[in-house]
Amino acid sequence: MLHGGIATMLLDSASGATGSMTVDPLGLAPFLSVSLNVQFVAPGRPGRVTAMGRITGGGKSLKFISSELRHEDGTLIATSSGVFKRVSEEKLT
């Protein structure tokens, strides 16, 4: 079974990467999780899973992002919605 903590990490990572790709085509601009709500829909069975994010709103520094985690057979395992903040260039050095 897929542990809920791992499912949450995958959703969080997909959301952050989605935010990053809105400002950098390579997805290298870091985004931090401000909040993340996860809803578990079905058990995670053995096999591959895919997490995909989608921007639902926000502005220059904050993005609202929803994500889905699906089993390779298409079964929805979990969803998330969260707020993600872009890390400024000054704070990276």
Side-chain angles (χ1 to χ4, degrees), residues 21-83:
M21 292 179 74
T22 65
V23 296
D24 176 10
L26 297 176
L28 299 176
F31 273 71
L32 301 175
S33 308
V34 175
S35 69
L36 184 69
N37 296 302
V38 178
Q39 299 76 40
F40 299 100
V41 179
R45 300 180 325 277
R48 290 183 176 264
V49 295
T50 302
M52 295 186 65
R54 175 175 58 89
I55 302 286
T56 59
K60 183 177 178 181
S61 65
L62 289 177
K63 302 287 183 197
F64 301 96
I65 303 172
S66 295
S67 293
E68 292 184 343
L69 182 66
R70 291 187 178 270
H71 187 268
E72 63 188 345
D73 69 4
T75 302
L76 181 63
I77 298 169
T79 63
S80 69
S81 60
V83 179

